[in-house]
mmCIF file of all heavy atoms in Angstrom:
data_model
loop_
_atom_site.group_PDB
_atom_site.id
_atom_site.type_symbol
_atom_site.label_atom_id
_atom_site.label_comp_id
_atom_site.label_asym_id
_atom_site.label_seq_id
_atom_site.Cartn_x
_atom_site.Cartn_y
_atom_site.Cartn_z
ATOM 1 N N GLY A 197 -24.000 1.373 -17.144
ATOM 2 C CA GLY A 197 -24.664 2.469 -17.818
ATOM 3 C C GLY A 197 -24.490 3.780 -17.086
ATOM 4 O O GLY A 197 -23.990 3.836 -15.961
ATOM 5 N N GLY A 198 -24.942 4.856 -17.741
ATOM 6 C CA GLY A 198 -24.777 6.181 -17.170
ATOM 7 C C GLY A 198 -25.597 6.414 -15.922
ATOM 8 O O GLY A 198 -25.285 7.291 -15.121
ATOM 9 N N SER A 234 -0.150 -11.901 20.136
ATOM 10 C CA SER A 234 -1.089 -11.993 21.259
ATOM 11 C C SER A 234 -2.506 -11.782 20.747
ATOM 12 O O SER A 234 -2.716 -11.155 19.710
ATOM 13 C CB SER A 234 -0.783 -10.933 22.319
ATOM 14 O OG SER A 234 0.533 -11.058 22.782
ATOM 15 N N SER A 290 -7.900 -19.694 13.290
ATOM 16 C CA SER A 290 -7.502 -20.681 12.280
ATOM 17 C C SER A 290 -8.068 -20.333 10.913
ATOM 18 O O SER A 290 -7.375 -20.425 9.893
ATOM 19 C CB SER A 290 -7.966 -22.078 12.690
ATOM 20 O OG SER A 290 -7.348 -22.493 13.885
ATOM 21 N N THR A 292 -8.892 -17.397 9.750
ATOM 22 C CA THR A 292 -8.233 -16.220 9.178
ATOM 23 C C THR A 292 -6.812 -16.528 8.708
ATOM 24 O O THR A 292 -6.213 -15.719 7.998
ATOM 25 C CB THR A 292 -8.173 -15.069 10.199
ATOM 26 O OG1 THR A 292 -7.568 -15.535 11.407
ATOM 27 C CG2 THR A 292 -9.562 -14.544 10.499
ATOM 28 N N LEU A 294 -4.115 -17.671 10.844
ATOM 29 C CA LEU A 294 -3.050 -17.480 11.835
ATOM 30 C C LEU A 294 -2.644 -18.812 12.447
ATOM 31 O O LEU A 294 -3.481 -19.691 12.660
ATOM 32 C CB LEU A 294 -3.513 -16.525 12.938
ATOM 33 C CG LEU A 294 -3.798 -15.089 12.501
ATOM 34 C CD1 LEU A 294 -4.295 -14.269 13.674
ATOM 35 C CD2 LEU A 294 -2.553 -14.446 11.904
ATOM 36 N N LEU A 325 -2.910 -24.689 24.414
ATOM 37 C CA LEU A 325 -1.705 -23.964 24.021
ATOM 38 C C LEU A 325 -1.005 -23.470 25.290
ATOM 39 O O LEU A 325 -1.219 -22.337 25.728
ATOM 40 C CB LEU A 325 -2.062 -22.777 23.119
ATOM 41 C CG LEU A 325 -2.885 -23.094 21.864
ATOM 42 C CD1 LEU A 325 -3.395 -21.821 21.218
ATOM 43 C CD2 LEU A 325 -2.061 -23.909 20.883
ATOM 44 N N SER A 346 -14.216 7.221 41.100
ATOM 45 C CA SER A 346 -15.299 8.185 40.911
ATOM 46 C C SER A 346 -16.281 8.173 42.067
ATOM 47 O O SER A 346 -17.072 9.111 42.225
ATOM 48 C CB SER A 346 -16.052 7.884 39.600
ATOM 49 O OG SER A 346 -15.190 8.029 38.495
ATOM 50 N N ILE A 348 -15.345 8.287 45.144
ATOM 51 C CA ILE A 348 -14.760 9.111 46.202
ATOM 52 C C ILE A 348 -15.187 10.558 45.977
ATOM 53 O O ILE A 348 -14.935 11.123 44.900
ATOM 54 C CB ILE A 348 -13.223 8.987 46.188
ATOM 55 C CG1 ILE A 348 -12.804 7.520 46.379
ATOM 56 C CG2 ILE A 348 -12.599 9.882 47.255
ATOM 57 C CD1 ILE A 348 -11.324 7.285 46.228
ATOM 58 N N ILE A 351 -12.625 13.207 44.519
ATOM 59 C CA ILE A 351 -12.251 12.981 43.120
ATOM 60 C C ILE A 351 -13.413 13.314 42.202
ATOM 61 O O ILE A 351 -13.249 13.937 41.138
ATOM 62 C CB ILE A 351 -11.792 11.524 42.921
ATOM 63 C CG1 ILE A 351 -10.504 11.272 43.704
ATOM 64 C CG2 ILE A 351 -11.590 11.223 41.442
ATOM 65 C CD1 ILE A 351 -9.979 9.863 43.612
ATOM 66 N N CYS A 362 -13.721 23.615 31.567
ATOM 67 C CA CYS A 362 -13.664 23.375 30.121
ATOM 68 C C CYS A 362 -14.884 23.963 29.424
ATOM 69 O O CYS A 362 -14.770 24.585 28.363
ATOM 70 C CB CYS A 362 -13.573 21.869 29.841
ATOM 71 S SG CYS A 362 -12.026 21.098 30.340
ATOM 72 N N THR A 379 -1.649 31.076 27.238
ATOM 73 C CA THR A 379 -0.847 29.850 27.150
ATOM 74 C C THR A 379 0.440 30.106 26.382
ATOM 75 O O THR A 379 1.516 29.621 26.740
ATOM 76 C CB THR A 379 -1.654 28.725 26.470
ATOM 77 O OG1 THR A 379 -2.864 28.512 27.193
ATOM 78 C CG2 THR A 379 -0.863 27.426 26.431
#
Side-chain angles (χ1 to χ4, degrees):
S234 303
S290 297
T292 54
L294 295 178
L325 305 169
S346 297
I348 301 174
I351 295 178
C362 292
T379 303

